[in-house]
Short mmCIF file of all heavy atoms in Angstrom, two decimals:
data_model
loop_
_atom_site.label_atom_id
_atom_site.label_comp_id
_atom_site.label_asym_id
_atom_site.label_seq_id
_atom_site.Cartn_x
_atom_site.Cartn_y
_atom_site.Cartn_z
N ASP A 77 92.99 88.98 100.44
CA ASP A 77 94.13 89.28 101.29
C ASP A 77 95.17 90.25 100.63
O ASP A 77 95.97 90.91 101.29
CB ASP A 77 94.90 87.97 101.60
CG ASP A 77 94.11 87.09 102.48
OD1 ASP A 77 93.31 87.56 103.28
OD2 ASP A 77 94.26 85.86 102.31
N VAL A 78 95.05 90.32 99.28
CA VAL A 78 95.92 91.20 98.50
C VAL A 78 95.26 92.48 98.05
O VAL A 78 95.85 93.53 98.08
CB VAL A 78 96.45 90.43 97.26
CG1 VAL A 78 97.37 91.29 96.41
CG2 VAL A 78 97.20 89.16 97.71
N PHE A 79 94.03 92.38 97.58
CA PHE A 79 93.34 93.53 97.02
C PHE A 79 92.16 93.96 97.84
O PHE A 79 91.46 93.14 98.47
CB PHE A 79 92.83 93.16 95.57
CG PHE A 79 93.99 92.95 94.58
CD1 PHE A 79 94.34 91.67 94.33
CD2 PHE A 79 94.54 93.98 93.91
CE1 PHE A 79 95.34 91.42 93.33
CE2 PHE A 79 95.57 93.76 93.00
CZ PHE A 79 95.97 92.47 92.74
N PHE A 80 91.85 95.25 97.83
CA PHE A 80 90.76 95.83 98.49
C PHE A 80 90.16 96.98 97.69
O PHE A 80 90.94 97.86 97.14
CB PHE A 80 91.20 96.39 99.91
CG PHE A 80 90.03 96.73 100.80
CD1 PHE A 80 89.51 95.76 101.75
CD2 PHE A 80 89.48 98.02 100.72
CE1 PHE A 80 88.47 96.11 102.56
CE2 PHE A 80 88.44 98.36 101.61
CZ PHE A 80 87.89 97.45 102.50
N LYS A 81 88.83 97.07 97.56
CA LYS A 81 88.12 98.08 96.93
C LYS A 81 87.91 99.25 97.92
O LYS A 81 87.09 99.23 98.71
CB LYS A 81 86.78 97.61 96.38
CG LYS A 81 85.99 98.60 95.56
CD LYS A 81 84.74 97.99 94.94
CE LYS A 81 83.93 98.89 94.22
NZ LYS A 81 83.10 99.73 95.14
N VAL A 82 88.76 100.30 97.80
CA VAL A 82 88.72 101.38 98.72
C VAL A 82 87.62 102.42 98.51
O VAL A 82 87.18 103.13 99.40
CB VAL A 82 90.12 102.12 98.88
CG1 VAL A 82 91.16 101.14 99.32
CG2 VAL A 82 90.46 102.68 97.51
N ASN A 83 87.20 102.49 97.20
CA ASN A 83 86.12 103.39 96.90
C ASN A 83 85.56 102.92 95.53
O ASN A 83 85.94 101.89 95.03
CB ASN A 83 86.52 104.84 96.80
CG ASN A 83 87.68 105.14 95.83
OD1 ASN A 83 87.78 104.56 94.78
ND2 ASN A 83 88.65 105.96 96.30
N ARG A 84 84.65 103.67 94.92
CA ARG A 84 83.95 103.20 93.76
C ARG A 84 84.89 103.21 92.51
O ARG A 84 84.50 102.69 91.44
CB ARG A 84 82.66 103.93 93.50
CG ARG A 84 82.88 105.37 93.13
CD ARG A 84 81.55 106.16 93.03
NE ARG A 84 81.81 107.52 92.53
CZ ARG A 84 81.83 107.95 91.31
NH1 ARG A 84 81.69 106.99 90.31
NH2 ARG A 84 81.91 109.14 90.93
N LYS A 85 86.10 103.82 92.66
CA LYS A 85 86.94 103.87 91.49
C LYS A 85 88.23 103.10 91.62
O LYS A 85 88.83 102.70 90.55
CB LYS A 85 87.37 105.36 91.23
CG LYS A 85 86.21 106.20 90.71
CD LYS A 85 86.76 107.63 90.35
CE LYS A 85 85.58 108.46 89.75
NZ LYS A 85 86.10 109.80 89.37
N PHE A 86 88.71 102.77 92.85
CA PHE A 86 89.97 102.13 93.00
C PHE A 86 89.91 100.74 93.71
O PHE A 86 89.28 100.69 94.79
CB PHE A 86 90.91 103.04 93.77
CG PHE A 86 91.63 104.03 92.90
CD1 PHE A 86 91.04 105.27 92.58
CD2 PHE A 86 92.91 103.73 92.35
CE1 PHE A 86 91.70 106.17 91.82
CE2 PHE A 86 93.56 104.68 91.58
CZ PHE A 86 92.95 105.91 91.26
N ILE A 87 90.55 99.81 93.19
CA ILE A 87 90.94 98.55 93.89
C ILE A 87 92.42 98.47 93.98
O ILE A 87 93.13 98.57 92.95
CB ILE A 87 90.37 97.36 93.16
CG1 ILE A 87 88.85 97.29 93.07
CG2 ILE A 87 90.84 96.05 93.83
CD1 ILE A 87 88.28 96.22 92.21
N ILE A 88 92.94 98.38 95.18
CA ILE A 88 94.40 98.53 95.36
C ILE A 88 95.01 97.22 95.91
O ILE A 88 94.45 96.54 96.66
CB ILE A 88 94.80 99.71 96.27
CG1 ILE A 88 94.17 99.50 97.63
CG2 ILE A 88 94.28 101.03 95.70
CD1 ILE A 88 94.59 100.53 98.66
N ASN A 89 96.24 97.06 95.46
CA ASN A 89 97.12 96.01 96.06
C ASN A 89 97.75 96.63 97.35
O ASN A 89 98.18 97.71 97.36
CB ASN A 89 98.20 95.64 95.12
CG ASN A 89 99.06 94.49 95.49
OD1 ASN A 89 99.35 94.27 96.77
ND2 ASN A 89 99.51 93.65 94.62
N LYS A 90 97.72 95.81 98.39
CA LYS A 90 98.25 96.34 99.68
C LYS A 90 99.68 96.89 99.58
O LYS A 90 100.01 97.84 100.18
CB LYS A 90 98.14 95.21 100.74
CG LYS A 90 98.49 95.63 102.15
CD LYS A 90 98.39 94.40 103.13
CE LYS A 90 96.97 93.86 103.19
NZ LYS A 90 96.90 92.75 104.17
N LYS A 91 100.44 96.23 98.73
CA LYS A 91 101.85 96.59 98.62
C LYS A 91 102.05 97.84 97.81
O LYS A 91 103.18 98.35 97.72
CB LYS A 91 102.65 95.45 98.08
CG LYS A 91 102.72 94.26 99.03
CD LYS A 91 103.64 93.15 98.46
CE LYS A 91 103.70 92.01 99.52
NZ LYS A 91 104.49 90.85 98.97
N ALA A 92 100.99 98.37 97.17
CA ALA A 92 101.11 99.60 96.41
C ALA A 92 100.90 100.89 97.27
O ALA A 92 101.15 101.91 96.75
CB ALA A 92 100.09 99.59 95.29
N ILE A 93 100.61 100.68 98.55
CA ILE A 93 100.38 101.82 99.41
C ILE A 93 101.72 102.29 99.94
O ILE A 93 102.43 101.61 100.64
CB ILE A 93 99.38 101.51 100.54
CG1 ILE A 93 98.06 101.02 100.01
CG2 ILE A 93 99.23 102.60 101.47
CD1 ILE A 93 97.17 100.45 101.07
N SER A 94 102.06 103.49 99.67
CA SER A 94 103.30 104.14 100.24
C SER A 94 103.04 105.00 101.50
O SER A 94 103.98 105.15 102.28
CB SER A 94 103.92 105.05 99.13
OG SER A 94 103.11 106.07 98.76
N GLU A 95 101.84 105.51 101.62
CA GLU A 95 101.54 106.39 102.82
C GLU A 95 100.13 106.42 103.11
O GLU A 95 99.21 106.38 102.15
CB GLU A 95 102.16 107.72 102.52
CG GLU A 95 102.15 108.72 103.70
CD GLU A 95 102.82 110.03 103.35
OE1 GLU A 95 103.16 110.28 102.20
OE2 GLU A 95 102.98 110.83 104.32
N ILE A 96 99.74 106.59 104.39
CA ILE A 96 98.36 106.73 104.75
C ILE A 96 98.24 108.03 105.49
O ILE A 96 98.95 108.27 106.52
CB ILE A 96 97.91 105.54 105.67
CG1 ILE A 96 98.12 104.23 104.98
CG2 ILE A 96 96.45 105.72 106.09
CD1 ILE A 96 97.81 103.01 105.87
N ILE A 97 97.32 108.88 105.03
CA ILE A 97 97.15 110.21 105.66
C ILE A 97 95.77 110.27 106.24
O ILE A 97 94.75 110.22 105.50
CB ILE A 97 97.37 111.37 104.61
CG1 ILE A 97 98.75 111.23 104.03
CG2 ILE A 97 97.18 112.65 105.28
CD1 ILE A 97 98.97 112.15 102.92
N LYS A 98 95.63 110.49 107.53
CA LYS A 98 94.34 110.61 108.22
C LYS A 98 94.11 112.13 108.38
O LYS A 98 94.54 112.76 109.29
CB LYS A 98 94.41 109.93 109.57
CG LYS A 98 93.02 109.83 110.19
CD LYS A 98 93.13 108.98 111.44
CE LYS A 98 91.75 108.74 112.11
NZ LYS A 98 91.80 107.96 113.30
N HIS A 99 93.16 112.62 107.52
CA HIS A 99 92.77 114.03 107.65
C HIS A 99 91.79 114.23 108.75
O HIS A 99 91.78 115.25 109.46
CB HIS A 99 92.11 114.47 106.30
CG HIS A 99 93.02 114.45 105.11
ND1 HIS A 99 93.95 115.40 104.89
CD2 HIS A 99 93.25 113.51 104.15
CE1 HIS A 99 94.64 115.11 103.78
NE2 HIS A 99 94.25 113.94 103.32
N SER A 100 90.83 113.17 108.98
CA SER A 100 89.98 113.18 110.06
C SER A 100 89.51 111.78 110.28
O SER A 100 89.92 110.88 109.56
CB SER A 100 88.77 114.13 109.79
OG SER A 100 87.98 113.59 108.73
N SER A 101 88.61 111.53 111.23
CA SER A 101 88.13 110.19 111.50
C SER A 101 87.33 109.65 110.36
O SER A 101 87.21 108.41 110.19
CB SER A 101 87.26 110.18 112.78
OG SER A 101 86.11 110.97 112.63
N GLN A 102 86.84 110.53 109.47
CA GLN A 102 86.01 110.10 108.36
C GLN A 102 86.63 110.40 107.02
O GLN A 102 85.96 110.33 105.96
CB GLN A 102 84.58 110.79 108.41
CG GLN A 102 83.86 110.36 109.73
CD GLN A 102 82.46 111.06 109.77
OE1 GLN A 102 82.10 111.85 108.90
NE2 GLN A 102 81.65 110.67 110.68
N LYS A 103 87.91 110.82 106.97
CA LYS A 103 88.60 111.20 105.73
C LYS A 103 90.01 110.67 105.78
O LYS A 103 90.86 111.25 106.43
CB LYS A 103 88.54 112.72 105.48
CG LYS A 103 88.94 113.05 104.16
CD LYS A 103 88.71 114.61 103.91
CE LYS A 103 89.02 115.01 102.50
NZ LYS A 103 88.78 116.47 102.33
N VAL A 104 90.29 109.57 105.14
CA VAL A 104 91.60 108.93 105.15
C VAL A 104 92.04 108.79 103.67
O VAL A 104 91.29 108.27 102.80
CB VAL A 104 91.55 107.52 105.79
CG1 VAL A 104 92.96 106.85 105.67
CG2 VAL A 104 91.09 107.60 107.21
N GLU A 105 93.22 109.36 103.41
CA GLU A 105 93.79 109.31 102.05
C GLU A 105 94.89 108.33 101.96
O GLU A 105 95.66 108.15 102.83
CB GLU A 105 94.31 110.78 101.73
CG GLU A 105 94.84 110.85 100.29
CD GLU A 105 95.36 112.30 100.03
OE1 GLU A 105 95.36 113.10 100.92
OE2 GLU A 105 95.78 112.55 98.87
N LEU A 106 94.99 107.69 100.82
CA LEU A 106 96.10 106.74 100.48
C LEU A 106 97.01 107.28 99.42
O LEU A 106 96.52 107.73 98.39
CB LEU A 106 95.50 105.42 100.08
CG LEU A 106 94.60 104.64 101.05
CD1 LEU A 106 94.04 103.38 100.39
CD2 LEU A 106 95.33 104.32 102.35
N LYS A 107 98.28 107.27 99.73
CA LYS A 107 99.29 107.64 98.70
C LYS A 107 99.73 106.29 98.07
O LYS A 107 100.14 105.36 98.84
CB LYS A 107 100.45 108.40 99.29
CG LYS A 107 100.06 109.69 99.82
CD LYS A 107 99.66 110.69 98.73
CE LYS A 107 99.45 112.09 99.28
NZ LYS A 107 99.01 113.04 98.10
N LEU A 108 99.71 106.20 96.78
CA LEU A 108 100.04 104.97 96.09
C LEU A 108 101.33 105.10 95.31
O LEU A 108 101.70 106.19 94.89
CB LEU A 108 98.91 104.60 95.17
CG LEU A 108 97.52 104.41 95.72
CD1 LEU A 108 96.52 104.03 94.68
CD2 LEU A 108 97.52 103.47 96.87
#
């Protein structure tokens, strides 16, 4: 509920996300 493995390098705490940028339907960037 707190952590998620977003790719092979990062596991993030939900509260560490400051911004979500959707470049396309298959490319989503997270600002931490």
Side-chain angles (χ1 to χ4, degrees):
D77 294 328
V78 177
F79 293 97
F80 191 90
K81 182 172 177 284
V82 297
N83 56 40
R84 67 185 184 87
K85 291 187 176 182
F86 276 87
I87 296 173
I88 60 173
N89 186 325
K90 188 181 296 185
K91 293 184 178 179
I93 300 172
S94 60
E95 191 176 5
I96 303 172
I97 303 173
K98 189 173 183 181
H99 297 280
S100 68
S101 62
Q102 298 180 351
K103 192 173 183 180
V104 179
E105 182 180 4
L106 299 177
K107 295 293 185 181
L108 305 180

